[in-house]
Amino acid sequence: MSTFRALSVLTAISALGLATVANAQVVRIAPIVKQVATTGGSERFSGVNPPASDARIDPASTFYVEIWATNVGAPLNGLACVYVDLAYDRTDLMDAISPEVDSPLFSNDAVAVVFDDPNGAVGDVGGCQGAPPVNNLGVGEWVMVERIRMDAIGTGGTITVSVADAANIFAGTSIIGELNNVLPVDIDFQNRTFDIQECLTAADCDDGIGCTDDSCNASNVCVNALNDSLCDNAMFCDGAETCSATLDCQAGTPPVIDDGIG
C-alpha cells in the first residue's frame, strides 16, 4: 500500500468527523444477485430486510452482484464506510468484469478494488461516504455500496456468493463519528445462492401464449407445448380451433353442413 493511498484513507476518515470507537457495533452486509441492476435513485431500501436476490440468472447474460449494508446496532449513527471481500465458488459458470460501479452513496474510494477472477474473488469492494456525510445512512434501511458486473459463461448451480471482512488495514467498515473500524465479529457477513439456468420452475417459462402448457423439464429447459383444447369454444359450427405458438388461439374452418336437400 502506497503512502499516498494511506494518507488518502486518513483524509477521508478525518473528513467524516470520526472520533474514538466503542465496541459492540453491529452491521449486516449482503451480496445481492440481480439480473437487472438497481436503477439510479433506488440505492436506499427501507426496512429490516434487503432487496430480494434473484434465484435464477439467464444463461449467456450479463448480471450483477451488488453489495448492500445496514447499521442495526449501537451506535446507530449511520454507515461511514463499507468494505468487504467478495467471493464466488463457481468460476466455471461466471466471470467478474472490471471496473466496479460505485454507489453514489459511497463514492469515496479509499483503496482500489482487486479483481482475481481465476480464484473467484473480488477484494476491497466498497467505499466511503463523501463529506459531509449523510447522517443515519443505513439505519432502518439497507443501502447499496457497490456493484460488480458478472458474465454468465456456463449453466448450472448451485452458485454461492459471499462476503467477508476486507482484511485490509486501509479499508474496513465504520460508523459515522467512530474512528476504528467495526470488528469483524460484530458484522453479519451474509451469502446468497443462485443458479444459471433457462428455468427453475414453470413460472420461468411463460411464453405469453395462452394456449400453451408451459413447464420446466428435468434439464432446466422450458417446454411450451401447444394445447388445442384450451382454444375449444364448444361450438361445432365454427370449426375446430387450434393453438399457434406465435398467434395464440386461431379460429377453425367451419365444416360443410349442406346436406344438399333444398
Side-chain angles (χ1 to χ4, degrees), residues 32-38 52-54 56-66 150 152 195-197:
I32 303 300
V33 179
K34 289 289 188 182
Q35 183 73 75
V36 178
T38 297
S53 187
D54 291 341
R56 184 187 66 84
I57 293 298
D58 290 332
S61 70
T62 292
F63 65 103
Y64 306 90
V65 177
E66 299 176 345
M150 300 286 183
D195 288 62
I196 298 175
Q197 301 282 10

Side-chain angles (χ1 to χ4, degrees), residues 231-242 250-255:
C231 300
D232 188 359
N233 64 2
M235 295 181 64
F236 171 78
C237 292
D238 61 1
E241 292 77 21
T242 58
Q250 298 297 295
T253 300

Side-chain angles (χ1 to χ4, degrees), residues 87-92 94 119-120 158-162:
Y88 45 99
D89 64 352
R90 293 297 302 270
T91 57
D92 57 323
M94 58 188 287
N119 291 311
T158 299
I159 305 167
T160 300
V161 290
S162 58

Side-chain angles (χ1 to χ4, degrees), residues 40-61:
S42 300
E43 296 89 359
R44 303 177 74 168
F45 191 81
S46 180
V48 298
N49 296 315
S53 187
D54 291 341
R56 184 187 66 84
I57 293 298
D58 290 332
S61 70

Side-chain angles (χ1 to χ4, degrees), residues 1-93:
M1 184 64 61
S2 68
T3 301
F4 175 79
R5 183 171 292 170
L7 289 174
S8 297
V9 176
L10 293 176
T11 300
I13 292 174
S14 176
L16 289 172
L18 306 182
T20 57
V21 70
N23 289 328
Q25 299 169 349
V26 178
V27 172
R28 293 175 183 157
I29 308 175
I32 303 300
V33 179
K34 289 289 188 182
Q35 183 73 75
V36 178
T38 297
T39 57
S42 300
E43 296 89 359
R44 303 177 74 168
F45 191 81
S46 180
V48 298
N49 296 315
S53 187
D54 291 341
R56 184 187 66 84
I57 293 298
D58 290 332
S61 70
T62 292
F63 65 103
Y64 306 90
V65 177
E66 299 176 345
I67 306 302
W68 288 74
T70 181
N71 175 198
V72 294
L76 293 169
N77 300 334
L79 298 165
C81 301
V82 177
Y83 280 97
V84 294
D85 286 345
L86 172 68
Y88 45 99
D89 64 352
R90 293 297 302 270
T91 57
D92 57 323
L93 299 181

Side-chain angles (χ1 to χ4, degrees), residues 156-191:
T158 299
I159 305 167
T160 300
V161 290
S162 58
V163 290
D165 181 60
N168 185 330
I169 62 172
F170 299 102
T173 297
S174 56
I175 301 297
I176 296 172
E178 308 296 332
L179 179 59
N180 297 330
N181 291 333
V182 180
L183 296 175
V185 70
D186 293 324
I187 300 176
D188 175 19
F189 295 107
Q190 300 185 5
N191 61 61

